[in-house]
């Protein structure tokens, strides 16, 4: 039971996310991805990283990606650097 | 809500003359024409709209088109546009439904959709409806409405949905049943030959095979990428170098190419493209206003011809829009290069829209410019129209976007805010805004000239400001009524009458109306009637004839409670005449008057006439009815069915009525739930009736109020039925008699003769059950005396066989010769009881009649035994006796025979 509550709780908490896109996106788009920093990899992908307030904010980012027609490669929740939790909660989709 | 329709959203885009035709896709699409749904699902820029427009132009079927935008996530607006789109193809389609969307705040959605489906099935040809950009819809309500429509979609309609993501519809089910054709990104990508055809055949760029392959692989057949690439290549001398560089670059294609394209443009074109990217729709003069240049029209036409992602929105080439993705990227460039200019651009757009009378767009751009003062001014100018069109929801959303302190300095807008909140049912915040407005008025009063603080006050609508105190009091009274705070309604509406001049008929009328409703609610009927009538006279003076006609409903309801049926009929007739004097189209309220007349005819046992009035009401169209009419019509029809003994039909109508009920500030003096309980009692469903008593928490020892009178009389009826059921509930009878005595006193004191007659009738039946015939006849005698001059019939006859027995006794004892005999004749004709009884060899016992009633329901034998608290064996004996007396040998036949004999 405890585990369930914990993961539900995580749903509401701000988390660090990593959104990987195919193609290089300029920094001028950062205004549209509030608070995320862009890292452009040599392999032609862009990683948007940063704190995402909640699920609604995350979906807002994904919607923007959709509207730009940018191929979405992955979305990760990044573990904050802290003591290891017994049940790791890495969300991946 | 009156939803203005923007025509350009319904425009069917014409395929571009120099676009690549895609026969392989068209073939797939045509193969799916007989299915219900075609889904074009792919990311932005895959050419969904272009493909759909190519398809519909050549498919040979009539087509309706709707381009959705963010604002369409509101179900009512969505449906209004849905209907408007079909009207471009089939004139007059869904007229009634769309009218009902205007008059109703919350139409029962399934019945609206069913009406739409019916209209669709009446269209005599096969057609297509395209919903473009469906991904902007974020509404469960709309998704489920669409699912419902698809489930029952008539075969002549084919639906096409284009979206950037899968719509929230039951796609798996549709796919499994073969109702769905899907074209997705993989299908929409340009193939190698299509790419070549586009770059060479259409654009004539003179590329070699390697260059074409390079572009194909870099864009992965993404048509927007290819189009942009073509634009960037046109007019270049260094094509091979450009392609090489582009192919080797990882940048977001649109970014890369738009930058290239912009670099190729002369300055004025480049700046035009960037600056107009703030506009949702473009037309020449608007663009000129925003950019401060001339020649917008010519430029737009040039851009369209040059393949610049400019889409015409009408045949006359007045309005255009940019391709969404293109506009989005242009806007990002604008923001990078001219961030400081953006507010000014929105400001100029707002001014242009204001000058051209398009308030909504003007307000939207003012809000985007964050020029809240301007937005507030515009709102204050627009609110009169918005109130008339009942656009309180839009008003409320805009007001919420403006900082509160700005509204606080605007007394008129504060009162508008209160109105919008009140209309939206957000009662809690109403008072705060009324107080804000009041504070200014007090400041003015306290210190006429010397208060520099007053300089801060902003008033645009000076006319409204003059009588603002009156408006404040009106809204306060309306709020109090919505909260059920009757003393406050009376106090505040009195304040209006004290404050506003004799000639301010509108506010006086509104206040008197509210006060009348308050007195009605507490059962002071004569006062209520007098004040309400005065209010209506004022509204008539103010020219609000429609409100006067609607108000007749309240006056009529009050007169009915007072037992003045003749006067009530005259109220309806006068109002109909008033409506007729206004000429065509039929005045709102006409439909309501016919429903009222129908109820009176039914009471007089003129059943045919009653039904005819209901038909007439329907013929007027729902838009001629006030919000309550939908439920009132159903109740009236239910009572006619009840009189015919069709109890199941009556129950169904009452269930419908419950869904369509709206209070519209009227006290709910005849709750539908209680009407249903009365039907259950007639059906022998005592348990359900008892559940209702439990749920409502009614008790025979409650203190009495007019508002609950109808429920209390119903409670007395339930108690009598419980006593009759013989469940060792002896005290029920005394409880009922005690309650009825108190109800009688209260009704008589309040002058409610209509209620008094019913209470006396139930009292008579109670005493009859008690075996006290003399008291029973005394009560009946009083009821007859009160009822005779007004011509009541059904109020007696609906009571059934026990009442008939009592009336027979009354006639025999010469308590009421003529009237009594007339009533008895009504039994004979409608219920056929007296004649039917004669044709029965041996009459059924009370208990057998109870069993018979339950046999008519869908209850099983054991259930019936349980309901009547008898053993299954006893129940079988009863059934056997019933069969033999009715000379039948099964349940179905028994019911049929009993119906013929009028035993129910």
């Amino acid at each position: 039971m405890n585990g369930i509550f914990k993961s539900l709780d995580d749903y509401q908490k701000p988390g660090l996310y990593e959104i990987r896109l195919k193609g290089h996106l300029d920094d001028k788009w950062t205004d549209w991805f509030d608070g995320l920093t862009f890292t452009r990899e040599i392999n032609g992908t862009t990683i948007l990283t940063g704190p995402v307030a909640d699920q609604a904010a995350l979906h807002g980012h994904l919607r923007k990606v959709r509207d730009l027609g940018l191929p979405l490669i992955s979305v990760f929740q990044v573990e904050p650097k802290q003591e290891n939790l017994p049940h790791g909660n890495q969300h991946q989709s | 809500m009156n939803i203005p329709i923007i025509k350009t959203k319904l425009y069917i885009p014409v395929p571009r003359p120099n676009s690549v035709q895609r026969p392989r896709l068209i073939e797939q699409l045509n193969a799916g024409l007989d299915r219900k749904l075609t889904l074009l699902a792919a990311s932005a820029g895959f050419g969904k709209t272009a493909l759909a427009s190519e398809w519909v132009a050549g498919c040979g079927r009539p087509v309706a088109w709707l381009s959705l935008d963010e604002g369409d996530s509101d179900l009512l607006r969505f449906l209004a546009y849905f209907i408007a789109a079909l009207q471009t193809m089939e004139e007059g389609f869904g007229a009634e439904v769309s009218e009902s969307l205007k008059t109703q705040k919350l139409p029962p959605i399934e019945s609206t959709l069913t009406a739409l489906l019916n209209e669709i099935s009446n269209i005599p040809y096969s057609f297509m409806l395209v919903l473009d950009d469906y991904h902007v819809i974020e509404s469960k309500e709309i998704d489920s409405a669409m699912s419902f429509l698809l489930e029952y979609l008539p075969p002549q309609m084919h639906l096409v949905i284009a979206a950037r993501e899968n719509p929230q519809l039951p796609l798996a089910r549709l796919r499994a049943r073969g109702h769905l054709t899907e074209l997705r990104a993989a299908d929409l990508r340009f193939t190698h030959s299509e790419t070549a055809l586009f770059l060479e055949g259409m654009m004539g760029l003179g590329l070699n095979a390697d260059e074409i392959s390079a572009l194909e692989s870099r864009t992965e057949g993404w048509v927007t990428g290819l189009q942009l690439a073509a634009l960037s290549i046109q007019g270049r001398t260094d094509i091979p170098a450009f392609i090489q560089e582009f192919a080797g670059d990882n940048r977001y294609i649109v970014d890369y190419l738009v930058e290239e394209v912009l670099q190729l443009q002369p300055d004025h074109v480049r700046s035009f493209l960037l600056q107009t990217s703030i506009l949702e729709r473009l037309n020449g003069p608007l663009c000129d206003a925003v950019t401060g240049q001339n020649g917008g029209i010519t430029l737009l036409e040039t851009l369209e011809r040059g393949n610049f992602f400019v889409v015409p929105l009408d045949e006359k080439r007045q309005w255009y829009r940019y391709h969404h993705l293109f506009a989005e990227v242009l806007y990002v460039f604008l923001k990078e290069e001219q961030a400081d200019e953006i507010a000014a651009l929105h400001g100029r757009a707002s001014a242009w829209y204001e000058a051209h009378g398009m308030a909504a767009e003007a307000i939207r751009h003012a809000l985007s410019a964050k020029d809240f003062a301007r937005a507030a001014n515009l709102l204050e100018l627009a609110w009169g129209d918005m109130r008339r069109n009942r656009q309180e929801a839009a008003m409320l959303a805009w007001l919420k976007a403006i900082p509160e302190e700005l509204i606080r300095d605007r007394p008129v807008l504060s009162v508008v805010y209160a109105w919008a909140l009140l209309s939206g049912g957000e009662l809690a915040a109403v008072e705060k805004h009324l107080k804000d407005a009041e504070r200014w008025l007090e400041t003015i009063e306290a210190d006429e000239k010397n208060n520099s603080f007053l300089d801060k006050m902003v008033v645009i609508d000076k006319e409204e400001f003059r009588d603002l105190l009156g408006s404040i009091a009106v809204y306060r009274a309306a709020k109090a009524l919505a909260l059920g705070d009757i003393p406050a309604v009376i106090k505040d509406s009195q304040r209006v009458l004290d404050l506003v001049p004799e000639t301010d008929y509108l506010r006086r009328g509104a206040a008197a109306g509210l006060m009348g409703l308050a007195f009605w609610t507490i059962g002071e009927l004569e006062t209520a009637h007098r004040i309400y009538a005065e209010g209506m006279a004022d509204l008539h003076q103010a020219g609000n004839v429609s409100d006067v006609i609607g108000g007749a409903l309240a006056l009529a309801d009050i007169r009915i409670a007072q037992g003045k049926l003749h006067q009530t009929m005259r109220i309806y007739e006068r109002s109909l005449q008033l409506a007729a004097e206004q000429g065509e189209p039929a005045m709102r309220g006409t439909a309501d008057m016919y429903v009222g007349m129908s109820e009176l005819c039914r009471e007089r046992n003129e059943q045919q006439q009653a039904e005819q009035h209901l038909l007439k009401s329907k013929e007027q169209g729902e838009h001629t009815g006030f919000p309550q009419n939908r439920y009132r019509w159903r109740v009236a029809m239910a009572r006619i069915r009840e009189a015919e003994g069709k109890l199941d039909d009556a129950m169904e109508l009452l269930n419908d009525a419950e869904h369509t009920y709206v209070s519209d500030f009227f006290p709910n003096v005849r709750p539908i739930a209680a009407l249903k309980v009365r039907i259950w009692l007639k059906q022998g469903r005592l348990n359900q009736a008892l559940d209702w008593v439990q749920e409502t928490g009614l008790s025979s020892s409650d203190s009495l109020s007019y508002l609950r009178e109808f429920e209390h009389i119903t409670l007395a009826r339930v108690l009598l039925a419980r006593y009759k059921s013989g469940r060792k509930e002896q005290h029920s009878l005394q409880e009922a008699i005690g309650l009825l005595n108190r109800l009688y006193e209260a009704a008589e004191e309040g002058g409610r003769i209509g209620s008094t007659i019913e209470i006396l009738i139930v009292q008579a039946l109670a005493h009859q059950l008690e075996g006290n015939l003399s008291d029973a006849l005394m009560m009946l005698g009083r009821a007859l005396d009160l009822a005779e001059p007004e011509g009541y019939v059904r109020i007696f006859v609906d009571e059934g066989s026990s009442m008939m027995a009592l009336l027979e006794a009354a006639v025999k004892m010469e308590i009421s010769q003529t009237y009594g005999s007339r009533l008895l004749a009504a039994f004979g004709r409608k219920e056929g009881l007296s004649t039917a009884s004669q044709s029965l060899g041996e009459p059924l016992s009370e208990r057998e009649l109870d069993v018979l009633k339950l046999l008519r329901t869908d209850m099983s034998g054991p259930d019936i035994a349980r309901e009547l608290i008898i053993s299954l064996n006893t129940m079988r004996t009863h059934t056997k006796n019933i069969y033999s007396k009715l000379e039948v040998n099964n349940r179905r036949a028994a019911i049929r025979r009993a119906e013929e004999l009028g035993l129910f």
Side-chain angles (χ1 to χ4, degrees):
Chain A
M1 278 304 275
N2 205 16
I4 294 171
F5 285 124
K6 203 163 251 166
S7 66
L8 270 178
D9 201 34
D10 279 349
Y11 237 47
Q12 315 302 337
K13 269 198 317 211
L16 279 178
Y17 279 86
E18 207 182 272
I19 302 172
R20 191 180 286 265
L21 311 173
K22 187 170 173 191
H24 280 171
L25 201 56
D26 280 349
D27 276 346
K28 64 172 175 286
W29 287 94
T30 47
D31 280 1
W32 275 262
F33 295 95
D34 185 26
L36 302 185
T37 47
F38 291 15
T39 315
R40 284 166 286 274
E41 307 262 283
I42 301 168
N43 64 6
T45 61
T46 304
I47 306 168
L48 318 184
T49 332
V52 173
D54 52 18
Q55 288 293 302
L58 179 63
H59 283 288
H61 291 323
L62 297 181
R63 170 167 287 235
K64 191 73 208 169
V65 170
R66 179 200 74 184
D67 286 342
L68 292 177
L70 280 164
L72 175 65
I73 298 173
S74 67
V75 180
F76 281 99
Q77 189 178 22
V78 188
E79 283 297 328
K81 293 185 200 88
Q82 59 177 32
E83 66 278 10
N84 278 342
L85 294 168
H87 308 286
N89 278 310
Q90 192 168 54
H91 295 279
Q92 185 177 342
S93 56
Chain B
M1 189 168 24
N2 195 354
I3 297 142
I5 299 292
I6 301 172
K7 287 264 159 39
T8 51
K9 282 161 63 73
L10 311 178
Y11 178 67
I12 305 171
V14 180
R16 298 183 54 83
N18 54 346
S19 63
V20 174
Q21 297 196 349
R22 315 192 72 183
R24 68 178 171 102
L25 299 180
I26 298 295
E27 208 172 293
Q28 283 187 52
L29 291 170
N30 280 336
L33 251 181
D34 292 329
R35 299 178 179 170
K36 287 183 176 183
L37 173 66
T38 295
L39 174 63
L40 305 175
S43 299
F46 266 99
K48 301 180 288 293
T49 306
L51 178 64
S53 74
E54 184 189 340
W55 182 31
V56 303
C59 74
R61 288 192 183 183
V63 174
W65 189 288
L66 172 55
S67 300
L68 296 161
D69 61 47
E70 274 78 8
D72 297 328
S73 280
D74 173 273
L75 178 61
L76 285 191
R77 185 174 143 150
F78 180 88
L79 289 175
Y81 268 108
F82 186 99
I83 293 166
L86 290 176
Q87 281 174 346
T88 62
M89 180 191 79
E90 175 74 12
E91 209 179 321
F93 175 88
E96 202 170 305
V97 183
S98 81
E99 283 300 330
S100 79
L101 295 179
K102 284 178 197 167
T103 53
Q104 282 296 302
K105 275 180 110 174
L106 284 173
I109 187 60
E110 290 223 341
S111 62
T112 304
L113 296 177
T114 309
L116 273 182
L117 286 167
N118 282 337
E119 295 237 5
I120 290 171
S121 68
N122 286 334
I123 293 180
Y125 48 80
S126 296
F127 67 95
M128 274 199 247
L129 171 67
V130 183
L131 299 179
D132 198 8
D133 288 331
Y134 190 85
H135 56 266
V136 297
I137 298 299
E138 275 194 86
S139 157
K140 268 196 190 153
E141 278 180 309
I142 293 178
D143 289 331
S144 55
M146 288 309 298
S147 306
F148 182 87
L149 288 177
L150 275 170
E151 179 77 32
Y152 301 103
L153 198 67
Q156 54 264 68
M157 172 159 157
H158 181 75
L159 182 67
V160 183
I161 288 182
R164 293 179 185 174
E165 60 184 34
N166 277 358
Q168 301 300 307
L169 300 173
L171 294 180
R173 193 167 74 214
L174 289 164
R175 202 179 288 126
R177 294 189 190 163
H179 292 321
L180 172 67
T181 306
E182 279 171 284
L183 289 189
R184 313 190 63 90
D187 308 296
L188 290 164
R189 275 182 212 290
F190 269 39
T191 61
H192 180 74
S193 57
E194 280 171 332
T195 307
L197 186 64
F198 172 69
L199 293 172
E200 283 319 296
M202 298 302 154
M203 305 303 288
L205 294 174
L207 306 178
N208 62 36
D210 286 348
E211 286 164 341
I212 291 173
S213 294
L215 288 178
E216 189 198 344
S217 89
R218 173 67 169 102
T219 60
E220 299 177 54
W222 188 44
V223 62
T224 299
L226 284 168
Q227 278 172 341
L228 275 169
L231 268 184
S232 323
I233 289 167
Q234 266 175 333
R236 260 180 209 280
T237 44
D238 55 343
I239 296 175
F242 169 78
I243 291 178
Q244 204 184 349
E245 197 171 321
F246 174 49
D249 192 284
N250 279 323
R251 256 177 87 191
Y252 175 39
I253 294 180
V254 186
D255 257 0
Y256 185 97
L257 293 174
V258 168
E259 197 170 310
E260 291 293 330
V261 171
L262 286 175
Q263 269 170 16
L264 291 172
Q265 303 312 314
D267 277 352
H268 76 281
V269 176
R270 178 186 161 83
S271 123
F272 179 93
L273 287 168
L274 294 184
Q275 295 189 333
T276 55
S277 71
I278 63 155
L279 299 170
E280 276 173 29
R281 296 185 300 151
L282 313 159
N283 86 5
L286 170 60
C287 290
D288 290 346
V290 169
T291 58
Q293 300 178 23
N294 288 322
I297 289 185
T298 331
L299 193 45
L300 282 171
E301 283 165 1
T302 318
L303 291 172
E304 189 207 341
R305 273 198 308 275
N307 236 341
F308 262 88
F309 297 90
V310 177
V311 186
L313 291 177
D314 52 38
E315 284 98 353
K316 289 190 216 136
R317 297 286 196 272
Q318 277 179 341
W319 286 98
Y320 294 86
R321 70 169 171 81
Y322 287 122
H323 190 284
H324 299 305
L325 193 53
F326 189 61
E328 194 143 14
V329 177
L330 285 179
Y331 186 66
V332 172
F333 279 88
L334 172 71
K335 205 157 177 230
E336 195 185 39
E337 294 177 21
Q338 309 178 21
D340 302 342
E341 282 295 304
I342 291 179
L345 296 171
H346 277 298
R348 296 204 285 271
S350 175
W352 187 89
Y353 274 121
E354 184 194 359
H356 289 79
M358 295 189 230
E361 286 83 355
I363 292 165
R364 234 174 274 137
H365 278 290
L367 288 172
S368 296
K370 300 221 183 311
D371 187 348
F372 297 117
R374 180 183 168 77
N377 290 352
L378 289 167
L379 281 176
E380 202 167 317
L381 284 173
W383 89 283
D385 278 341
M386 293 184 70
R387 180 176 51 175
R388 265 187 294 286
N389 292 332
R390 298 192 68 170
Q391 290 175 289
E392 55 264 3
M395 176 57 90
L396 195 54
W398 283 331
L399 284 166
K400 283 180 175 172
I402 294 176
E404 285 237 357
E405 62 270 19
L406 226 128
I407 294 173
R408 226 176 288 141
D409 291 342
R410 292 158 192 262
V412 175
L413 203 56
S414 295
V415 174
V416 171
Y417 209 149
W419 158 74
L421 289 164
L422 193 59
S423 313
E426 297 183 32
L427 300 178
V430 171
E431 185 59 29
K432 184 171 67 118
H433 295 287
L434 292 178
K435 281 237 168 68
D436 285 344
E438 228 167 19
R439 215 169 295 128
W440 285 111
L441 300 175
E442 282 160 11
T443 315
I444 295 171
E445 189 133 328
D447 183 6
E448 290 265 345
K449 295 169 195 87
N450 302 327
N451 197 335
S452 62
F453 180 65
L454 271 180
D455 295 347
K456 272 184 67 187
M457 183 176 82
V458 183
V459 173
I460 306 292
D461 188 346
K462 299 231 160 50
E463 202 177 317
E464 179 67 25
F465 181 68
R466 229 183 16 237
D467 301 308
L468 203 58
L469 266 183
S471 291
I472 293 172
V474 170
Y475 291 135
R476 212 166 254 156
K479 184 200 70 181
L481 190 59
L483 290 171
D485 182 352
I486 301 304
V489 184
I490 294 170
K491 191 189 88 204
D492 290 320
S493 40
Q494 185 56 53
R495 194 170 143 73
V496 181
L497 297 178
D498 295 342
L499 275 171
V500 305
E502 288 288 331
T503 49
D504 188 347
Y505 297 113
L506 191 63
R507 287 187 185 77
R508 294 191 80 82
L514 289 164
M515 196 192 270
L517 290 173
F519 279 113
W520 179 15
T521 306
I522 54 175
E524 299 212 12
L525 300 181
E526 211 37 59
T527 316
H529 192 276
R530 181 174 49 78
I531 296 176
Y532 200 89
E534 284 168 13
M536 291 307 113
D538 278 341
L539 286 179
H540 201 168
Q541 280 277 355
N544 286 25
V545 177
S546 165
D547 286 335
V548 176
I549 295 170
L553 278 180
L555 294 175
D557 278 359
I558 293 170
R559 284 299 188 230
I560 288 173
Q562 292 178 316
K564 297 181 179 174
L565 300 190
H566 294 309
Q567 278 199 34
T568 310
M569 191 53 115
R570 277 198 294 279
I571 292 176
Y572 292 136
E573 285 165 354
R574 261 204 319 268
S575 303
L576 266 186
Q577 193 178 349
L578 181 61
E581 285 164 10
Q582 314 303 312
E584 292 291 320
M587 202 74 190
R588 200 166 171 210
T590 322
D592 309 69
M593 297 307 120
Y594 283 119
V595 172
M597 292 166 85
S598 165
E599 284 233 51
L600 292 180
C601 290
R602 187 200 56 85
E603 181 52 54
R604 292 186 198 147
N605 207 28
E606 296 160 5
Q607 303 291 317
Q608 253 181 337
Q609 191 71 17
E611 277 209 49
Q612 249 158 31
H613 281 311
L614 285 186
L615 277 177
K616 242 187 218 158
S617 171
K618 230 316 85 111
E619 280 166 18
Q620 306 299 311
E622 289 209 331
H623 59 285
T624 66
F626 277 88
Q628 282 204 330
N629 195 45
R630 298 161 74 103
Y631 107 83
R632 282 176 182 257
W633 192 95
R634 287 168 173 81
V635 169
M637 188 54 105
R639 305 223 46 208
I640 291 177
R641 293 290 170 252
E642 180 188 347
E644 292 168 350
K646 295 175 182 162
L647 299 180
D648 292 341
D649 292 356
M651 185 55 88
E652 204 170 305
L653 283 157
L654 288 177
N655 282 329
D656 267 6
E658 225 166 16
H659 293 136
T660 41
Y661 176 78
V662 283
S663 100
D664 210 26
F665 287 115
F666 280 22
N668 191 6
V669 290
R670 191 175 62 171
I672 299 165
L675 284 166
K676 280 167 65 177
V677 171
R678 292 167 175 222
I679 302 282
W680 284 333
L681 292 179
K682 287 196 172 179
Q683 290 175 323
R685 295 171 183 244
L686 181 57
N687 281 341
Q688 272 164 287
L690 288 169
D691 286 348
W692 169 78
V693 173
Q694 191 131 41
E695 279 161 27
T696 47
L698 286 170
S699 127
S700 57
S701 56
D702 289 340
S703 60
L704 302 181
S705 70
Y706 167 56
L707 206 51
R708 305 210 79 175
E709 183 178 63
F710 190 79
E711 290 172 296
H712 278 127
I713 300 174
T714 310
L715 171 63
R717 290 176 177 278
V718 177
L719 291 170
L720 291 182
R722 185 163 73 173
Y723 172 77
K724 264 206 295 196
S725 78
R727 294 184 188 178
K728 303 187 187 105
E729 301 280 5
Q730 295 305 316
H731 63 278
S732 290
L733 181 60
Q734 290 317 313
E735 222 183 305
I737 291 177
L739 173 60
L740 287 164
N741 287 341
R742 289 199 301 132
L743 282 166
Y744 175 77
E745 275 172 33
E748 203 176 38
E749 201 190 315
R752 298 189 293 273
I753 294 176
S755 317
T756 310
I757 296 171
E758 196 200 337
I759 296 166
L760 282 166
I761 286 172
V762 185
Q763 277 180 312
L765 294 171
H767 288 304
Q768 184 192 30
L769 276 177
E770 199 185 25
N772 181 350
L773 193 64
S774 70
D775 274 2
L777 287 175
M778 188 178 71
M779 301 293 176
L780 180 62
R782 278 195 218 157
L784 290 167
D785 285 345
L786 292 171
E788 184 171 5
E790 296 291 338
Y792 283 93
V793 178
R794 292 310 310 182
I795 202 169
F796 296 96
V797 176
D798 284 340
E799 300 295 344
S801 53
S802 331
M803 178 50 68
M804 194 174 78
L806 269 185
L807 277 170
E808 271 166 353
V811 171
K812 218 174 282 168
M813 298 176 68
E814 299 183 8
I815 293 172
S816 169
Q817 282 284 17
T818 32
Y819 186 39
S821 310
R822 237 181 70 212
L823 293 175
L824 281 173
F827 275 99
R829 200 175 65 227
K830 269 293 143 195
E831 308 235 316
L833 235 184
S834 16
T835 45
S837 306
Q838 286 158 12
S839 73
L840 254 184
E842 194 186 337
L844 300 184
S845 72
E846 278 277 322
R847 208 60 181 149
E848 284 160 2
L849 280 171
D850 290 341
V851 173
L852 182 64
K853 277 181 190 160
L854 294 178
L855 284 174
R856 200 187 191 195
T857 68
D858 50 14
M859 288 165 83
S860 69
D863 281 348
I864 294 175
R866 252 194 305 283
E867 170 77 30
L868 297 172
I869 320 193
I870 52 178
S871 75
L872 198 53
N873 266 336
T874 314
M875 144 90 191
R876 286 200 180 115
T877 313
H878 283 313
T879 316
K880 222 168 71 198
N881 289 342
I882 293 169
Y883 288 178
S884 92
K885 286 179 183 176
L886 294 177
E887 297 167 355
V888 296
N889 48 25
N890 64 53
R891 187 167 172 173
R892 195 113 142 258
I895 301 305
R896 205 168 41 237
R897 178 89 182 109
E899 273 170 358
E900 284 165 14
L901 293 169
L903 292 179
F904 293 109

